[in-house]
Amino acid sequence: MAQIQVQHQAQMSGPNGVAAGASGNQFLTTSLYVGDLDFNVTDSQLYDLFSQVGQVLSVRVCRDLSTRRSLGYGYVNYANPADAARALDVLNFTPLNNKSIRIMYSHRDPSIRKSGTGNIFIKNLDKSIDHKALHDTFSSFGNILSCKIATDGSGQSKGFGFVQFENKESAQNAIDKLNGMLINDKQVFVGHFLRKQERETVAIKTKFNNVFVKNLAESTTDEDLKKFFGEYGTITSAVVMRDGDGKSKCFGFVNFENADDAAKAVEALNGKKFDDREWYVGKAQKKSEREQELKGQFEQAMKETVDKFQGLNLYIKNLGDSIDDEKLKELFSEFGTITSCKVMRDPSGISKGSGFVAFSTPEEASRALAEMNGKMIVSKPLYVAVAQRKEERRARLQAQFSQMRPVAMGPSVPPRMPMYPPGPSGLGQQFLYGQAPPAIIPPQAGFGYQQQLVPGMRPAGAPMPNFFVPVVSQGQQGQRPGGRRGAGPVQQTQQPLPIMPHQVCLI
Protein backbone atom coordinates (compact mmCIF):
# COMPACT_ATOMS: atom_id res chain seq x y z
CA MET A 1 0.00 0.00 0.00
CA ALA A 2 1.18 3.50 -0.75
CA GLN A 3 2.25 5.65 2.16
CA ILE A 4 1.17 9.29 2.45
CA GLN A 5 3.33 11.97 3.94
CA VAL A 6 1.15 14.90 4.95
CA GLN A 7 3.39 17.94 5.27
CA HIS A 8 1.47 20.11 7.69
CA GLN A 9 1.14 20.67 11.40
CA ALA A 10 -2.54 20.10 12.07
CA GLN A 11 -3.50 20.26 15.73
CA MET A 12 -6.15 17.68 16.43
CA SER A 13 -8.83 18.67 18.89
CA GLY A 14 -9.09 15.27 20.55
CA PRO A 15 -6.71 12.92 22.32
CA ASN A 16 -4.54 10.42 20.44
CA GLY A 17 -4.76 12.45 17.27
CA VAL A 18 -8.48 11.86 16.79
CA ALA A 19 -10.64 14.81 15.88
CA ALA A 20 -13.36 15.77 18.27
CA GLY A 21 -16.70 14.57 17.11
CA ALA A 22 -15.26 11.46 15.47
CA SER A 23 -17.11 8.63 17.03
CA GLY A 24 -17.93 5.04 16.32
CA ASN A 25 -20.68 4.09 13.95
CA GLN A 26 -23.98 5.19 15.43
CA PHE A 27 -25.86 2.33 13.75
CA LEU A 28 -25.46 -1.09 15.34
CA THR A 29 -25.74 -2.81 12.00
CA THR A 30 -24.55 -6.30 11.13
CA SER A 31 -24.69 -5.86 7.34
CA LEU A 32 -21.65 -4.86 5.27
CA TYR A 33 -21.38 -3.65 1.68
CA VAL A 34 -18.34 -5.03 -0.16
CA GLY A 35 -17.38 -3.11 -3.31
CA ASP A 36 -14.61 -3.12 -5.94
CA LEU A 37 -14.88 -6.89 -6.26
CA ASP A 38 -13.10 -8.73 -9.03
CA PHE A 39 -15.72 -10.09 -11.45
CA ASN A 40 -14.58 -13.67 -10.75
CA VAL A 41 -15.09 -13.49 -6.97
CA THR A 42 -17.69 -16.02 -5.81
CA ASP A 43 -19.98 -16.26 -2.77
CA SER A 44 -17.82 -18.99 -1.27
CA GLN A 45 -14.70 -16.84 -1.51
CA LEU A 46 -16.46 -14.01 0.33
CA TYR A 47 -17.67 -16.44 2.98
CA ASP A 48 -14.20 -17.92 3.50
CA LEU A 49 -12.66 -14.46 3.91
CA PHE A 50 -15.24 -12.90 6.23
CA SER A 51 -15.88 -15.99 8.35
CA GLN A 52 -12.30 -15.65 9.67
CA VAL A 53 -13.48 -12.63 11.68
CA GLY A 54 -16.77 -13.88 13.09
CA GLN A 55 -19.94 -15.87 12.51
CA VAL A 56 -21.30 -15.09 9.06
CA LEU A 57 -25.02 -15.59 8.52
CA SER A 58 -25.11 -14.99 4.77
CA VAL A 59 -23.09 -13.66 1.84
CA ARG A 60 -24.14 -12.66 -1.65
CA VAL A 61 -22.34 -11.41 -4.74
CA CYS A 62 -24.83 -9.33 -6.74
CA ARG A 63 -25.21 -10.44 -10.35
CA ASP A 64 -26.98 -9.39 -13.51
CA LEU A 65 -30.35 -11.15 -13.77
CA SER A 66 -29.95 -12.15 -17.41
CA THR A 67 -26.20 -12.79 -17.85
CA ARG A 68 -25.44 -13.83 -14.22
CA ARG A 69 -22.27 -11.78 -14.47
CA SER A 70 -21.00 -10.18 -11.26
CA LEU A 71 -21.84 -6.50 -10.78
CA GLY A 72 -18.65 -5.95 -8.79
CA TYR A 73 -20.20 -5.69 -5.33
CA GLY A 74 -21.89 -7.82 -2.71
CA TYR A 75 -23.15 -8.03 0.89
CA VAL A 76 -22.07 -9.88 4.04
CA ASN A 77 -24.33 -10.30 7.09
CA TYR A 78 -22.87 -11.14 10.49
CA ALA A 79 -24.58 -12.56 13.56
CA ASN A 80 -23.63 -9.60 15.78
CA PRO A 81 -22.54 -5.96 15.29
CA ALA A 82 -19.15 -6.46 16.97
CA ASP A 83 -18.03 -8.93 14.30
CA ALA A 84 -19.21 -6.58 11.53
CA ALA A 85 -17.24 -3.69 13.04
CA ARG A 86 -14.14 -5.86 13.40
CA ALA A 87 -14.41 -7.04 9.77
CA LEU A 88 -14.71 -3.45 8.58
CA ASP A 89 -11.56 -2.54 10.51
CA VAL A 90 -9.48 -5.63 9.69
CA LEU A 91 -10.52 -6.63 6.17
CA ASN A 92 -11.08 -3.27 4.50
CA PHE A 93 -8.85 -2.93 1.39
CA THR A 94 -7.75 -6.57 1.64
CA PRO A 95 -6.71 -7.99 -1.78
CA LEU A 96 -9.10 -10.62 -3.15
CA ASN A 97 -8.16 -12.09 -6.54
CA ASN A 98 -5.37 -9.47 -6.64
CA LYS A 99 -7.86 -6.59 -6.27
CA SER A 100 -8.39 -4.59 -3.07
CA ILE A 101 -11.95 -4.75 -1.80
CA ARG A 102 -13.72 -1.75 -0.28
CA ILE A 103 -16.01 -2.30 2.74
CA MET A 104 -18.58 0.00 4.29
CA TYR A 105 -21.70 -0.40 6.38
CA SER A 106 -24.80 -1.20 4.37
CA HIS A 107 -27.61 1.30 4.93
CA ARG A 108 -31.02 0.46 3.52
CA ASP A 109 -31.95 4.13 3.56
CA PRO A 110 -30.37 5.63 0.40
CA SER A 111 -30.91 9.20 1.62
CA ILE A 112 -27.73 8.92 3.71
CA ARG A 113 -25.66 8.35 0.57
CA LYS A 114 -27.58 10.64 -1.78
CA SER A 115 -27.81 13.63 0.56
CA GLY A 116 -24.13 14.45 0.09
CA THR A 117 -23.85 15.44 3.75
CA GLY A 118 -20.27 15.01 4.92
CA ASN A 119 -19.05 14.18 1.40
CA ILE A 120 -15.78 15.83 0.32
CA PHE A 121 -13.82 15.87 -2.93
CA ILE A 122 -10.03 15.65 -3.13
CA LYS A 123 -8.06 16.37 -6.33
CA ASN A 124 -4.43 16.72 -7.47
CA LEU A 125 -3.57 13.50 -5.65
CA ASP A 126 -0.34 11.65 -6.36
CA LYS A 127 -1.00 8.60 -8.55
CA SER A 128 0.60 6.32 -5.98
CA ILE A 129 -2.12 7.06 -3.39
CA ASP A 130 -4.67 4.23 -3.18
CA HIS A 131 -7.93 3.70 -1.25
CA LYS A 132 -6.24 2.59 1.96
CA ALA A 133 -3.72 5.43 2.00
CA LEU A 134 -6.53 7.97 1.48
CA HIS A 135 -8.64 6.32 4.19
CA ASP A 136 -5.75 6.34 6.68
CA THR A 137 -5.13 10.04 6.04
CA PHE A 138 -8.71 11.21 6.56
CA SER A 139 -9.81 8.75 9.27
CA SER A 140 -8.21 10.97 11.92
CA PHE A 141 -10.92 13.60 11.34
CA GLY A 142 -13.95 11.40 12.00
CA ASN A 143 -15.78 8.20 11.20
CA ILE A 144 -15.67 7.47 7.45
CA LEU A 145 -18.69 5.91 5.73
CA SER A 146 -17.08 5.61 2.30
CA CYS A 147 -13.67 6.29 0.76
CA LYS A 148 -12.74 5.86 -2.90
CA ILE A 149 -10.04 6.82 -5.41
CA ALA A 150 -11.33 7.30 -8.97
CA THR A 151 -9.57 4.89 -11.34
CA ASP A 152 -9.50 4.29 -15.10
CA GLY A 153 -10.21 1.02 -16.89
CA SER A 154 -6.76 -0.36 -16.07
CA GLY A 155 -7.12 0.43 -12.37
CA GLN A 156 -4.77 3.43 -12.38
CA SER A 157 -5.63 6.46 -10.24
CA LYS A 158 -7.14 9.48 -12.01
CA GLY A 159 -5.68 11.80 -9.38
CA PHE A 160 -8.86 12.52 -7.44
CA GLY A 161 -11.11 10.80 -4.93
CA PHE A 162 -14.02 11.07 -2.51
CA VAL A 163 -14.46 10.66 1.23
CA GLN A 164 -17.85 10.64 2.96
CA PHE A 165 -17.87 11.26 6.70
CA GLU A 166 -20.60 10.37 9.14
CA ASN A 167 -21.35 14.04 9.79
CA LYS A 168 -20.65 17.39 8.16
CA GLU A 169 -18.58 18.65 11.11
CA SER A 170 -15.91 16.01 10.43
CA ALA A 171 -15.95 16.89 6.73
CA GLN A 172 -15.52 20.60 7.43
CA ASN A 173 -12.69 19.85 9.86
CA ALA A 174 -10.87 17.82 7.18
CA ILE A 175 -11.33 20.62 4.63
CA ASP A 176 -10.01 23.25 7.04
CA LYS A 177 -6.94 21.19 7.96
CA LEU A 178 -5.93 19.62 4.63
CA ASN A 179 -7.01 21.97 1.84
CA GLY A 180 -3.89 23.40 0.20
CA MET A 181 -1.54 21.10 2.11
CA LEU A 182 1.20 18.97 0.53
CA ILE A 183 0.52 15.24 0.28
CA ASN A 184 3.42 13.30 -1.25
CA ASP A 185 4.91 16.64 -2.37
CA LYS A 186 1.76 17.65 -4.25
CA GLN A 187 -0.57 20.45 -3.14
CA VAL A 188 -4.06 19.01 -2.93
CA PHE A 189 -7.47 20.63 -3.12
CA VAL A 190 -10.01 19.46 -0.52
CA GLY A 191 -13.54 20.81 -0.68
CA HIS A 192 -17.21 19.94 -0.40
CA PHE A 193 -18.47 17.54 -3.07
CA LEU A 194 -20.72 19.21 -5.66
CA ARG A 195 -22.94 17.45 -8.18
CA LYS A 196 -22.43 18.23 -11.87
CA GLN A 197 -25.34 20.68 -12.06
CA GLU A 198 -24.09 22.50 -8.96
CA ARG A 199 -20.54 22.66 -10.37
CA GLU A 200 -21.78 24.18 -13.64
CA THR A 201 -23.81 26.80 -11.77
CA VAL A 202 -20.83 27.72 -9.59
CA ALA A 203 -18.52 27.87 -12.62
CA ILE A 204 -20.81 30.35 -14.37
CA LYS A 205 -20.91 32.64 -11.32
CA THR A 206 -17.20 32.52 -10.47
CA LYS A 207 -14.81 35.33 -11.26
CA PHE A 208 -12.63 35.03 -14.33
CA ASN A 209 -9.32 36.36 -15.60
CA ASN A 210 -9.41 35.13 -19.18
CA VAL A 211 -11.40 37.22 -21.70
CA PHE A 212 -12.63 36.08 -25.12
CA VAL A 213 -12.95 38.62 -27.93
CA LYS A 214 -14.35 37.92 -31.42
CA ASN A 215 -15.32 39.71 -34.65
CA LEU A 216 -11.84 41.18 -34.93
CA ALA A 217 -10.54 42.68 -38.18
CA GLU A 218 -8.09 40.45 -40.06
CA SER A 219 -5.42 43.10 -39.58
CA THR A 220 -5.71 43.08 -35.76
CA THR A 221 -2.52 41.80 -34.10
CA ASP A 222 -1.53 40.63 -30.64
CA GLU A 223 -0.02 44.05 -29.97
CA ASP A 224 -3.30 45.74 -30.88
CA LEU A 225 -5.13 43.59 -28.34
CA LYS A 226 -2.60 44.48 -25.65
CA LYS A 227 -3.01 48.15 -26.49
CA PHE A 228 -6.83 48.13 -26.35
CA PHE A 229 -7.13 45.97 -23.22
CA GLY A 230 -4.07 47.28 -21.40
CA GLU A 231 -6.00 50.39 -20.39
CA TYR A 232 -8.05 48.34 -17.92
CA GLY A 233 -5.33 46.48 -16.03
CA THR A 234 -2.17 44.41 -16.17
CA ILE A 235 -2.22 41.83 -18.97
CA THR A 236 -0.29 38.58 -18.69
CA SER A 237 -1.01 37.42 -22.26
CA ALA A 238 -2.91 38.45 -25.41
CA VAL A 239 -3.16 36.38 -28.56
CA VAL A 240 -5.08 36.46 -31.86
CA MET A 241 -5.90 32.93 -33.02
CA ARG A 242 -4.63 32.00 -36.50
CA ASP A 243 -4.94 29.03 -38.86
CA GLY A 244 -2.09 26.91 -40.25
CA ASP A 245 -1.29 29.53 -42.90
CA GLY A 246 -1.04 32.31 -40.33
CA LYS A 247 -4.34 33.91 -41.36
CA SER A 248 -6.35 35.47 -38.52
CA LYS A 249 -9.46 33.60 -37.36
CA CYS A 250 -10.82 36.98 -36.20
CA PHE A 251 -11.00 36.04 -32.52
CA GLY A 252 -8.55 35.87 -29.63
CA PHE A 253 -7.98 35.78 -25.87
CA VAL A 254 -6.70 38.29 -23.33
CA ASN A 255 -5.67 37.15 -19.85
CA PHE A 256 -5.62 39.69 -17.00
CA GLU A 257 -3.67 39.46 -13.80
CA ASN A 258 -6.68 40.64 -11.79
CA ALA A 259 -10.26 39.36 -12.15
CA ASP A 260 -11.76 42.78 -11.44
CA ASP A 261 -9.77 44.26 -14.34
CA ALA A 262 -11.11 41.52 -16.63
CA ALA A 263 -14.68 42.36 -15.61
CA LYS A 264 -14.09 46.08 -16.27
CA ALA A 265 -12.70 45.34 -19.75
CA VAL A 266 -15.72 43.21 -20.65
CA GLU A 267 -18.13 45.91 -19.50
CA ALA A 268 -16.31 48.69 -21.37
CA LEU A 269 -15.42 46.99 -24.68
CA ASN A 270 -18.30 44.60 -25.36
CA GLY A 271 -20.33 45.98 -28.28
CA LYS A 272 -17.79 48.69 -29.21
CA LYS A 273 -16.92 49.18 -32.90
CA PHE A 274 -13.34 48.98 -34.16
CA ASP A 275 -12.54 49.12 -37.87
CA ASP A 276 -16.30 49.05 -38.62
CA ARG A 277 -16.67 45.78 -36.68
CA GLU A 278 -18.65 45.38 -33.50
CA TRP A 279 -16.62 43.42 -30.96
CA TYR A 280 -18.02 40.75 -28.71
CA VAL A 281 -16.07 40.67 -25.45
CA GLY A 282 -16.93 38.22 -22.67
CA LYS A 283 -15.70 35.58 -20.28
CA ALA A 284 -13.66 32.81 -21.92
CA GLN A 285 -15.72 29.65 -21.39
CA LYS A 286 -15.31 25.94 -21.75
CA LYS A 287 -17.55 24.19 -24.27
CA SER A 288 -19.73 22.74 -21.49
CA GLU A 289 -20.22 26.19 -19.95
CA ARG A 290 -21.23 27.70 -23.31
CA GLU A 291 -23.69 24.89 -23.95
CA GLN A 292 -25.24 25.33 -20.52
CA GLU A 293 -25.60 29.07 -21.00
CA LEU A 294 -27.04 28.75 -24.52
CA LYS A 295 -29.48 26.08 -23.32
CA GLY A 296 -30.72 28.40 -20.58
CA GLN A 297 -31.11 31.28 -23.05
CA PHE A 298 -33.01 29.08 -25.51
CA GLU A 299 -35.39 27.77 -22.84
CA GLN A 300 -36.04 31.29 -21.61
CA ALA A 301 -36.74 32.54 -25.15
CA MET A 302 -39.11 29.63 -25.77
CA LYS A 303 -40.96 30.34 -22.53
CA GLU A 304 -41.33 34.02 -23.41
CA THR A 305 -42.62 33.12 -26.88
CA VAL A 306 -45.19 30.70 -25.47
CA ASP A 307 -46.32 33.23 -22.87
CA LYS A 308 -46.62 35.88 -25.60
CA PHE A 309 -48.84 33.70 -27.79
CA GLN A 310 -50.78 32.07 -24.95
CA GLY A 311 -54.34 31.59 -26.19
CA LEU A 312 -53.51 33.14 -29.59
CA ASN A 313 -51.70 30.26 -31.29
CA LEU A 314 -53.63 27.33 -32.78
CA TYR A 315 -52.26 23.93 -33.73
CA ILE A 316 -53.75 22.33 -36.85
CA LYS A 317 -53.18 18.78 -38.06
CA ASN A 318 -54.58 16.38 -40.66
CA LEU A 319 -53.80 18.88 -43.41
CA GLY A 320 -53.74 17.74 -47.02
CA ASP A 321 -50.43 17.65 -48.88
CA SER A 322 -51.63 20.39 -51.24
CA ILE A 323 -52.12 22.94 -48.44
CA ASP A 324 -49.23 25.40 -48.09
CA ASP A 325 -48.75 28.52 -45.95
CA GLU A 326 -50.85 30.72 -48.23
CA LYS A 327 -53.77 28.29 -48.44
CA LEU A 328 -53.69 27.75 -44.67
CA LYS A 329 -53.77 31.50 -44.13
CA GLU A 330 -56.66 31.81 -46.57
CA LEU A 331 -58.64 29.16 -44.69
CA PHE A 332 -58.35 30.98 -41.34
CA SER A 333 -58.24 34.63 -42.43
CA GLU A 334 -62.04 35.04 -42.15
CA PHE A 335 -61.85 34.74 -38.36
CA GLY A 336 -59.51 37.68 -37.71
CA THR A 337 -56.05 39.14 -38.17
CA ILE A 338 -53.39 36.45 -38.58
CA THR A 339 -49.95 37.37 -37.23
CA SER A 340 -48.21 34.12 -38.12
CA CYS A 341 -49.02 31.09 -40.29
CA LYS A 342 -46.79 28.09 -40.94
CA VAL A 343 -47.15 24.56 -42.37
CA MET A 344 -44.55 22.23 -40.86
CA ARG A 345 -42.31 20.40 -43.35
CA ASP A 346 -39.58 17.77 -43.19
CA PRO A 347 -36.00 18.48 -44.41
CA SER A 348 -36.96 17.48 -47.97
CA GLY A 349 -39.79 20.05 -48.02
CA ILE A 350 -42.70 17.58 -47.82
CA SER A 351 -45.60 18.68 -45.62
CA LYS A 352 -45.92 16.91 -42.27
CA GLY A 353 -49.69 17.45 -42.34
CA SER A 354 -49.63 19.90 -39.43
CA GLY A 355 -49.08 23.59 -38.84
CA PHE A 356 -49.70 26.64 -36.66
CA VAL A 357 -51.83 29.76 -37.02
CA ALA A 358 -51.49 32.71 -34.61
CA PHE A 359 -54.18 35.38 -34.26
CA SER A 360 -53.98 38.90 -32.85
CA THR A 361 -56.58 38.33 -30.10
CA PRO A 362 -57.74 35.31 -28.06
CA GLU A 363 -61.33 35.90 -29.20
CA GLU A 364 -60.37 35.43 -32.85
CA ALA A 365 -58.48 32.24 -32.01
CA SER A 366 -61.46 30.87 -30.03
CA ARG A 367 -63.84 31.59 -32.92
CA ALA A 368 -61.52 29.87 -35.41
CA LEU A 369 -61.18 26.88 -33.09
CA ALA A 370 -64.97 26.50 -32.76
CA GLU A 371 -65.65 26.85 -36.49
CA MET A 372 -62.74 24.93 -38.03
CA ASN A 373 -62.27 21.94 -35.71
CA GLY A 374 -63.68 18.90 -37.53
CA LYS A 375 -64.39 20.80 -40.76
CA MET A 376 -63.79 18.80 -43.96
CA ILE A 377 -60.96 20.32 -45.99
CA VAL A 378 -59.85 18.44 -49.12
CA SER A 379 -61.72 15.31 -47.94
CA LYS A 380 -60.01 15.42 -44.52
CA PRO A 381 -61.48 16.59 -41.20
CA LEU A 382 -59.22 19.20 -39.63
CA TYR A 383 -58.08 18.87 -36.04
CA VAL A 384 -57.72 22.31 -34.43
CA ALA A 385 -56.60 22.94 -30.84
CA VAL A 386 -54.81 25.54 -28.76
CA ALA A 387 -51.06 25.09 -29.21
CA GLN A 388 -49.32 23.74 -26.11
CA ARG A 389 -45.75 23.25 -25.02
CA LYS A 390 -44.39 19.72 -25.08
CA GLU A 391 -44.28 19.57 -21.26
CA GLU A 392 -47.91 20.69 -20.97
CA ARG A 393 -49.08 18.08 -23.50
CA ARG A 394 -47.19 15.34 -21.69
CA ALA A 395 -48.70 16.33 -18.32
CA ARG A 396 -52.21 16.42 -19.78
CA LEU A 397 -51.83 13.02 -21.45
CA GLN A 398 -50.46 11.49 -18.28
CA ALA A 399 -53.42 12.84 -16.33
CA GLN A 400 -55.85 11.41 -18.88
CA PHE A 401 -54.08 8.05 -18.85
CA SER A 402 -54.20 7.83 -15.06
CA GLN A 403 -57.96 8.47 -15.11
CA MET A 404 -58.45 5.70 -17.68
CA ARG A 405 -56.72 3.07 -15.57
CA PRO A 406 -59.16 0.42 -14.34
CA VAL A 407 -59.88 0.34 -10.64
CA ALA A 408 -60.29 -3.03 -8.94
CA MET A 409 -63.84 -3.62 -7.72
CA GLY A 410 -64.52 -5.56 -4.56
CA PRO A 411 -67.13 -8.33 -4.52
CA SER A 412 -70.61 -7.08 -3.75
CA VAL A 413 -71.93 -10.53 -2.74
CA PRO A 414 -70.53 -13.37 -0.67
CA PRO A 415 -67.77 -15.11 -2.63
CA ARG A 416 -69.49 -18.53 -2.56
CA MET A 417 -72.47 -17.24 -4.54
CA PRO A 418 -71.58 -17.27 -8.24
CA MET A 419 -72.96 -14.17 -9.89
CA TYR A 420 -73.01 -12.96 -13.47
CA PRO A 421 -73.89 -9.65 -15.06
CA PRO A 422 -77.57 -9.28 -15.95
CA GLY A 423 -78.51 -10.65 -19.37
CA PRO A 424 -80.82 -13.06 -21.09
CA SER A 425 -80.99 -16.32 -19.24
CA GLY A 426 -80.45 -19.62 -20.94
CA LEU A 427 -78.55 -22.60 -19.61
CA GLY A 428 -76.55 -24.61 -22.02
CA GLN A 429 -75.84 -21.62 -24.26
CA GLN A 430 -72.35 -21.27 -25.58
CA PHE A 431 -70.57 -18.12 -24.37
CA LEU A 432 -69.72 -15.97 -27.34
CA TYR A 433 -67.83 -12.67 -27.44
CA GLY A 434 -70.36 -9.86 -27.41
CA GLN A 435 -73.03 -12.10 -25.86
CA ALA A 436 -74.07 -11.87 -22.22
CA PRO A 437 -73.60 -14.99 -20.03
CA PRO A 438 -76.50 -16.52 -18.04
CA ALA A 439 -77.85 -14.59 -15.10
CA ILE A 440 -77.62 -17.28 -12.43
CA ILE A 441 -76.13 -20.77 -12.42
CA PRO A 442 -76.79 -22.99 -9.44
CA PRO A 443 -73.64 -24.09 -7.64
CA GLN A 444 -72.28 -27.41 -8.81
CA ALA A 445 -69.36 -29.41 -7.57
CA GLY A 446 -66.19 -28.89 -9.50
CA PHE A 447 -66.68 -25.47 -11.00
CA GLY A 448 -68.15 -22.06 -10.51
CA TYR A 449 -66.77 -18.53 -10.40
CA GLN A 450 -67.63 -14.94 -9.82
CA GLN A 451 -67.20 -12.65 -12.83
CA GLN A 452 -66.15 -9.08 -12.09
CA LEU A 453 -66.38 -6.58 -14.94
CA VAL A 454 -63.81 -3.79 -14.83
CA PRO A 455 -64.27 -0.63 -16.93
CA GLY A 456 -61.96 -0.51 -19.93
CA MET A 457 -61.06 -4.22 -19.72
CA ARG A 458 -62.24 -6.86 -22.11
CA PRO A 459 -63.57 -10.09 -20.56
CA ALA A 460 -61.12 -12.35 -22.32
CA GLY A 461 -57.87 -13.99 -21.35
CA ALA A 462 -55.97 -17.22 -21.04
CA PRO A 463 -57.93 -20.18 -19.65
CA MET A 464 -57.34 -21.09 -16.04
CA PRO A 465 -56.81 -24.63 -14.74
CA ASN A 466 -59.60 -26.46 -12.92
CA PHE A 467 -62.19 -24.33 -14.67
CA PHE A 468 -64.40 -24.87 -17.69
CA VAL A 469 -67.42 -23.38 -19.38
CA PRO A 470 -70.01 -25.86 -20.60
CA VAL A 471 -70.38 -25.70 -24.37
CA VAL A 472 -73.38 -27.18 -26.10
CA SER A 473 -73.17 -27.80 -29.80
CA GLN A 474 -75.69 -26.45 -32.28
CA GLY A 475 -79.19 -27.86 -31.85
CA GLN A 476 -78.64 -29.03 -28.29
CA GLN A 477 -80.38 -27.77 -25.20
CA GLY A 478 -78.76 -28.02 -21.83
CA GLN A 479 -80.53 -29.17 -18.71
CA ARG A 480 -79.22 -28.65 -15.18
CA PRO A 481 -80.83 -29.81 -11.93
CA GLY A 482 -82.93 -26.99 -10.63
CA GLY A 483 -82.35 -24.88 -13.72
CA ARG A 484 -84.46 -23.92 -16.70
CA ARG A 485 -84.26 -25.29 -20.19
CA GLY A 486 -82.21 -23.16 -22.59
CA ALA A 487 -83.81 -20.65 -24.87
CA GLY A 488 -83.06 -22.74 -27.95
CA PRO A 489 -80.28 -23.69 -30.32
CA VAL A 490 -77.29 -21.37 -30.58
CA GLN A 491 -75.83 -20.30 -33.88
CA GLN A 492 -72.21 -21.47 -34.20
CA THR A 493 -71.14 -18.47 -36.22
CA GLN A 494 -68.19 -17.38 -34.05
CA GLN A 495 -65.38 -19.15 -32.33
CA PRO A 496 -65.81 -19.19 -28.55
CA LEU A 497 -63.38 -16.99 -26.69
CA PRO A 498 -62.03 -18.08 -23.29
CA ILE A 499 -63.25 -16.03 -20.37
CA MET A 500 -60.89 -15.12 -17.55
CA PRO A 501 -62.62 -15.12 -14.18
CA HIS A 502 -61.53 -12.80 -11.42
CA GLN A 503 -62.33 -15.33 -8.71
CA VAL A 504 -62.58 -19.09 -8.79
CA CYS A 505 -65.01 -20.51 -6.29
CA LEU A 506 -64.82 -24.21 -5.72
CA ILE A 507 -68.08 -25.45 -4.24
Side-chain angles (χ1 to χ4, degrees):
M1 298 295 179
Q3 298 296 321
I4 295 183
Q5 297 177 352
V6 183
Q7 301 173 14
H8 74 296
Q9 295 179 349
Q11 295 181 354
M12 303 301 177
S13 55
N16 303 322
V18 178
S23 60
N25 187 51
Q26 60 181 345
F27 304 102
L28 296 178
T29 179
T30 59
S31 182
L32 297 178
Y33 164 88
V34 187
D36 296 344
L37 290 177
D38 180 78
F39 291 118
N40 296 319
V41 171
T42 63
D43 293 356
S44 61
Q45 285 181 285
L46 273 189
Y47 181 84
D48 293 341
L49 177 63
F50 283 85
S51 61
Q52 300 174 18
V53 177
Q55 182 184 357
V56 174
L57 295 180
S58 64
V59 298
R60 179 167 62 94
V61 174
C62 296
R63 300 182 180 277
D64 184 88
L65 289 176
S66 57
T67 64
R68 303 306 300 163
R69 187 172 185 266
S70 170
L71 297 176
Y73 66 91
Y75 296 91
V76 177
N77 294 308
Y78 278 96
N80 61 76
D83 291 339
R86 186 160 56 252
L88 179 62
D89 183 52
V90 174
L91 299 179
N92 205 5
F93 309 113
T94 298
L96 189 59
N97 285 7
N98 297 320
K99 186 176 181 181
S100 298
I101 62 176
R102 183 168 54 91
I103 307 173
M104 57 184 285
Y105 281 108
S106 173
H107 299 297
R108 291 186 178 274
D109 183 7
S111 61
I112 299 175
R113 299 190 305 271
K114 295 181 179 180
S115 65
T117 303
N119 204 358
I120 64 175
F121 170 70
I122 307 99
K123 69 178 180 179
N124 202 32
L125 289 169
D126 187 80
K127 296 296 180 70
S128 64
I129 297 174
D130 56 14
H131 303 305
K132 179 171 175 54
L134 188 68
H135 185 280
D136 292 343
T137 301
F138 284 86
S139 60
S140 59
F141 297 98
N143 189 42
I144 293 177
L145 298 181
S146 176
C147 177
K148 184 176 180 65
I149 292 286
T151 57
D152 57 21
S154 61
Q156 297 296 316
S157 169
K158 290 184 177 181
F160 64 89
F162 308 90
V163 176
Q164 184 169 10
F165 287 94
E166 192 175 69
N167 54 65
K168 59 183 180 181
E169 290 79 12
S170 300
Q172 188 60 53
N173 193 18
I175 293 172
D176 295 340
K177 295 295 192 301
L178 293 184
N179 185 34
M181 295 299 172
L182 295 177
I183 299 182
N184 282 13
D185 298 324
K186 293 189 72 173
Q187 187 177 18
V188 298
F189 167 83
V190 183
H192 291 288
F193 169 75
L194 298 176
R195 294 178 176 84
K196 183 178 180 180
Q197 298 84 350
E198 297 171 335
R199 293 198 302 271
E200 290 172 347
T201 303
V202 171
I204 292 174
K205 296 180 179 179
T206 52
K207 292 186 176 182
F208 59 93
N209 295 69
N210 201 11
V211 173
F212 169 72
V213 52
K214 71 175 182 178
N215 207 24
L216 299 172
E218 292 187 6
S219 59
T220 303
T221 64
D222 298 352
E223 293 300 322
D224 293 333
L225 283 186
K226 289 181 181 179
K227 177 182 176 182
F228 286 122
F229 285 87
E231 300 177 8
Y232 302 97
T234 305
I235 295 174
T236 58
S237 66
V239 60
V240 175
M241 305 305 294
R242 301 181 182 276
D243 59 19
D245 299 329
K247 185 179 179 180
S248 173
K249 293 184 177 180
C250 298
F251 70 88
F253 298 90
V254 179
N255 196 60
F256 284 87
E257 189 176 277
N258 188 283
D260 294 333
D261 296 338
K264 285 190 296 183
V266 169
E267 185 177 356
L269 296 178
N270 186 36
K272 288 292 184 71
K273 282 191 175 183
F274 298 91
D275 297 329
D276 296 328
R277 286 178 173 243
E278 185 176 313
W279 281 9
Y280 168 82
V281 183
K283 173 190 173 184
Q285 296 175 308
K286 296 179 182 178
K287 183 179 179 180
S288 59
E289 295 175 352
R290 291 197 306 274
E291 290 176 346
Q292 183 75 9
E293 185 174 333
L294 291 173
K295 181 181 178 182
Q297 292 174 357
F298 175 76
E299 290 176 348
Q300 181 64 26
M302 287 294 294
K303 185 177 183 302
E304 291 175 355
T305 302
V306 170
D307 293 342
K308 178 181 177 182
F309 289 98
Q310 186 69 34
L312 306 177
N313 200 13
L314 296 180
Y315 169 70
I316 300 97
K317 71 176 181 179
N318 211 25
L319 294 171
D321 294 339
S322 61
I323 297 180
D324 56 12
D325 295 352
E326 290 300 323
K327 289 184 179 180
L328 184 62
K329 186 174 183 179
E330 182 180 340
L331 287 173
F332 285 84
S333 59
E334 61 178 289
F335 302 104
T337 304
I338 295 177
T339 59
S340 174
C341 182
K342 181 73 174 176
V343 173
M344 307 306 293
R345 301 182 181 276
D346 62 17
S348 60
I350 300 175
S351 171
K352 292 183 177 180
S354 61
F356 296 90
V357 177
F359 287 89
S360 59
T361 65
E363 291 76 19
E364 295 172 347
S366 298
R367 189 162 59 251
L369 172 61
E371 295 288 336
M372 296 298 289
N373 187 33
K375 186 175 181 180
M376 298 294 293
I377 303 294
V378 194
S379 72
K380 284 188 175 184
L382 288 186
Y383 170 83
V384 184
V386 177
Q388 293 178 310
R389 296 177 64 190
K390 185 177 181 180
E391 295 79 6
E392 295 173 350
R393 289 199 309 275
R394 183 183 290 116
R396 178 173 57 83
L397 291 173
Q398 287 177 346
Q400 290 178 351
F401 179 74
S402 63
Q403 292 176 359
M404 292 170 58
R405 287 181 178 174
V407 180
M409 298 172 58
S412 56
V413 296
R416 293 182 63 85
M417 291 181 60
M419 183 175 178
Y420 300 90
S425 61
L427 296 178
Q429 276 188 295
Q430 184 174 356
F431 291 174
L432 302 178
Y433 177 68
Q435 188 174 10
I440 298 178
I441 292 182
Q444 298 209 5
F447 80 100
Y449 65 91
Q450 179 175 343
Q451 172 83 8
Q452 295 275 341
L453 293 184
V454 181
M457 293 190 65
R458 179 175 160 181
M464 292 185 66
N466 300 325
F467 165 77
F468 66 90
V469 176
V471 177
V472 180
S473 61
Q474 183 175 0
Q476 279 188 316
Q477 293 182 350
Q479 179 69 33
R480 295 282 177 86
R484 296 184 300 161
R485 190 173 294 274
V490 179
Q491 297 295 327
Q492 294 274 336
T493 57
Q494 302 183 46
Q495 291 295 326
L497 297 179
I499 299 179
M500 172 65 76
H502 285 259
Q503 287 188 352
V504 176
C505 301
L506 300 180
I507 307 300

